[in-house]
Amino acid sequence: MMKFAWDNYKLYAWGKNELRPLTKNGHIGNMFGGLRGASIVDSLDTLFIMGLEEEYEEAKDWVKENLDMNSNGEASLFEVNIRYVGGLLSAYYLTGEEVFRTKVLELGEKLLPAFNTPTGIPRGIINLGSGLSWSWGWASAGSSILAEFGTLHLEFVHLSEVSGNPTYKEKVMNIRKFLNKIEKPHGLYPNFLSPVSGNWVQHHVSIGGLGDSFYEYLIKSYLMSAKKDEEAKKMYYDALEAIETNLVQKSPGGLTYIAEWRGGILDHKMGHLACFSGGMIAIGAADGELQKRKHYMDLAAEITHTCHESYARSDTKLGPEAFRFDGGAEATATRLSDRYYILRPEVVESYMYMWRLTHDPKYREWGWEAIQALEKYCRVDAGFSGIRDVYTATPNYDNMQQSFFLAETLKYLYLLFSDDDLLPLEDWIFNTEAHPLPVVRHSCMQGESKTHQRQKH
Ligand code: DMJ
């Protein structure tokens, strides 16, 4: 599947950001500020891990010759960070090739001006040429988004590690400290925050879109620090406690789900994006309070089960973008606009973590079901495409092979069927785009004063 997706990208969309597999051309889009080759950078580590050597070499050569950071467009800080910074860092750590380090540091520097706000909380969009940054037009009152400014920590810690420059780490530690001290309604973190006043802008809380990977990065920061980052640990378990108290629900049919919260009122909906949380709760289970560890594994299994049900209850055996638990619905989409599937990874991501941590064969069975469904309903002549309605067996394609399909969906499926010693979870932490980053056991930031580090670099 990876080779097929890659070969078609190469044939029809080489150097563009994504492949349009129906029209057989490339897509550039406006998320990456003029950067190109998102599918190449997102695929480097997947190709390497899968032993697709020739393809990996082609990808590396493209990065060396053609990945041009001197673009002048408006980029999503979050998307560039998780795909480009994460992809290049991971390629560097896996292969030791200097070109990835040089490129990622060139890019990292261009992202720093986004943090020049009164609070140090970055804005969502940055012009990679001018360094000017601003907020998404659709985000209320010029606010920044929790899942965006909360999903920088892992990559920025490693930017400091590979450069010896503490600035990157300082920027994300500042975000962390800010969030730690600010008041939180019922212990929950709303999705919108003003980077100017430092106040929450709306009381919408979600473990799915707009909130999701902030929580993921708390527990992963703790694990990536070789379990030294106590602050991240405490913030994670406190947040999980608040989520359990306020958002976790059981449907009449016995399915556990995580609802969304709008100023105290529950919206009984779970997004596909929220399905990463099965895996997240599972990787954090062993470091929770002793008496809660089993409970966390049970909760992780229940959520993963619910997400599997959202797949099993559709005609294509692929899950919708959002499924509901009201008006008689139980893990099904009720709105037409929620029925699409865009090759997202979160459900198989949770299967992979649950498999690694329990070895219950059902997770491989569920992964295999997803593979068969992808082959049957998403594979087209020239690649893989998202579909517009998972409840109809005659697919209507969206004509897009997302770069995260190669970075995440296929990588997690591959790992689900690999031995546990391929990227062991004790040594590698996957960023939110599935790019593995090593646990930092001996930080290059230790032992040298910050001033000295600054002078050196
Ligand atoms: C990916 O870019 C990342 O997984 C992100 O955290 C959420 N959205 C997509 C995949 O669905």
Side-chain angles (χ1 to χ4, degrees):
M1 291 168 86
M2 182 67 188
K3 177 140 175 64
F4 181 69
W6 176 261
D7 285 348
N8 281 291
Y9 166 77
K10 190 177 143 194
L11 192 57
Y12 298 115
W14 189 240
K16 302 286 190 321
N17 286 328
E18 283 110 357
L19 164 68
R20 288 195 173 278
L22 278 296
T23 43
K24 302 185 177 169
N25 58 346
H27 173 255
I28 291 176
N30 52 11
M31 278 189 322
F32 307 118
L35 296 177
R36 296 285 189 269
S39 290
I40 300 178
V41 178
D42 244 359
S43 293
L44 284 163
D45 52 12
T46 310
L47 295 169
F48 186 79
I49 291 159
M50 291 184 178
L52 290 165
E53 285 165 25
E54 223 172 274
E55 291 79 3
Y56 160 74
E57 289 295 332
E58 289 161 358
K60 184 182 81 185
D61 290 345
W62 186 89
V63 169
K64 201 185 282 175
E65 310 296 336
N66 298 295
L67 179 55
D68 182 8
M69 306 297 184
N70 292 314
S71 75
N72 203 23
E74 293 153 22
S76 155
L77 173 65
F78 164 78
E79 297 290 356
V80 167
N81 177 59
I82 66 171
R83 303 192 202 208
Y84 284 84
V85 176
L88 292 168
L89 280 170
S90 159
Y92 173 63
Y93 281 115
L94 288 169
T95 68
E97 293 275 3
E98 192 55 30
V99 58
F100 300 129
R101 183 175 170 276
T102 314
K103 291 282 182 187
V104 81
L105 291 181
E106 205 184 320
L107 180 56
E109 256 196 71
K110 290 190 180 286
L111 302 181
L112 287 173
F115 295 81
N116 295 337
T117 64
T119 54
I121 302 284
R123 294 196 169 88
I125 307 174
I126 175 157
N127 183 302
L128 295 175
S130 66
L132 288 175
S133 71
W134 55 95
S135 304
W136 295 104
W138 51 266
S140 43
S143 53
S144 297
I145 293 156
L146 181 69
E148 296 199 331
F149 62 79
T151 309
L152 303 166
H153 202 98
L154 304 178
E155 296 81 1
F156 275 56
V157 164
H158 272 296
L159 282 172
S160 279
E161 289 297 327
V162 299
S163 64
N165 176 357
T167 305
Y168 299 102
K169 189 171 178 183
E170 284 163 13
K171 298 286 181 205
V172 287
M173 283 313 290
N174 178 55
I175 299 177
R176 159 81 67 70
K177 300 260 172 281
F178 191 90
L179 289 174
N180 194 17
K181 70 165 196 274
I182 186 176
E183 201 175 312
K184 293 163 269 287
H186 301 273
L188 295 165
Y189 290 81
N191 290 336
F192 297 99
L193 184 88
S194 162
V196 177
S197 69
N199 293 326
W200 300 115
V201 174
Q202 260 184 20
H203 283 189
H204 174 213
V205 177
S206 165
I207 192 105
L210 305 176
D212 49 8
S213 38
F214 159 68
Y215 305 97
E216 173 185 350
Y217 271 34
L218 287 178
I219 184 63
K220 288 184 176 176
S221 295
Y222 170 64
L223 298 172
M224 199 179 83
S225 72
K227 306 194 177 177
K228 292 189 194 101
D229 187 347
E230 289 294 330
E231 185 180 54
K233 179 182 186 184
K234 176 158 186 347
M235 285 170 74
Y236 170 74
Y237 290 106
D238 287 353
L240 184 55
E241 182 96 35
I243 288 167
E244 280 212 71
T245 309
N246 295 286
L247 310 183
V248 173
Q249 304 285 304
K250 183 104 51 193
S251 75
L255 297 178
T256 302
Y257 63 98
I258 308 184
E260 302 199 357
W261 193 85
R262 292 172 195 278
I265 296 170
L266 286 185
D267 187 4
H268 295 271
K269 149 188 158 186
M270 195 162 164
H272 193 288
L273 289 165
C275 284
F276 82 98
S277 59
M280 175 186 75
I281 294 168
I283 56 170
D287 294 290
E289 281 174 36
L290 198 58
Q291 71 277 16
K292 287 210 179 134
R293 293 180 186 171
K294 181 174 177 312
H295 163 72
Y296 286 143
M297 275 316 283
D298 292 345
L299 180 61
E302 285 172 29
I303 290 169
T304 308
H305 170 71
T306 299
C307 291
H308 173 254
E309 285 301 305
S310 79
Y311 277 47
R313 294 174 191 204
S314 81
D315 297 49
T316 55
K317 306 299 166 208
L318 293 165
E321 178 67 4
F323 43 95
R324 304 197 63 94
F325 298 87
D326 51 11
E330 288 254 352
T332 51
T334 52
R335 299 174 189 174
L336 222 67
S337 56
D338 285 340
R339 294 174 162 209
Y340 63 90
Y341 171 69
I342 56 169
L343 306 173
R344 286 199 194 277
E346 292 77 17
V347 175
V348 299
E349 172 180 348
S350 283
Y351 296 167
M352 189 282 288
Y353 284 113
M354 292 306 295
W355 162 257
R356 284 272 177 112
L357 295 165
T358 66
H359 289 145
D360 184 331
K362 78 178 173 204
Y363 297 112
R364 280 188 164 171
E365 284 155 25
W366 293 353
W368 188 242
E369 288 168 12
I371 288 172
Q372 285 175 308
L374 284 165
E375 286 285 282
K376 188 157 173 199
Y377 296 107
C378 298
R379 183 195 268 259
V380 293
D381 276 356
F384 287 89
S385 170
I387 56 175
R388 294 192 198 280
D389 185 353
V390 296
Y391 301 103
T392 156
T394 38
N396 189 352
Y397 300 109
D398 72 0
N399 193 22
M400 182 69 87
Q401 179 176 281
Q402 303 280 350
S403 80
F404 53 67
F405 180 65
L406 297 93
E408 297 194 72
T409 313
L410 295 179
K411 187 187 286 133
Y412 285 133
L413 284 168
Y414 184 76
L415 292 173
L416 175 62
F417 292 95
S418 301
D419 291 342
D420 295 356
D421 59 3
L422 179 62
L423 299 174
L425 297 183
E426 302 76 44
D427 298 331
W428 294 91
I429 302 299
F430 293 89
N431 89 337
T432 196
E433 189 79 1
H435 296 305
L437 300 171
V439 169
V440 182
R441 295 194 203 282
H442 306 285
S443 171
C444 85
M445 297 286 103
Q446 281 165 4
E448 289 185 72
S449 77
K450 286 178 181 171
T451 344
H452 177 62
Q453 288 285 350
R454 279 209 189 89
Q455 280 162 355
K456 241 173 56 178
H457 299 277

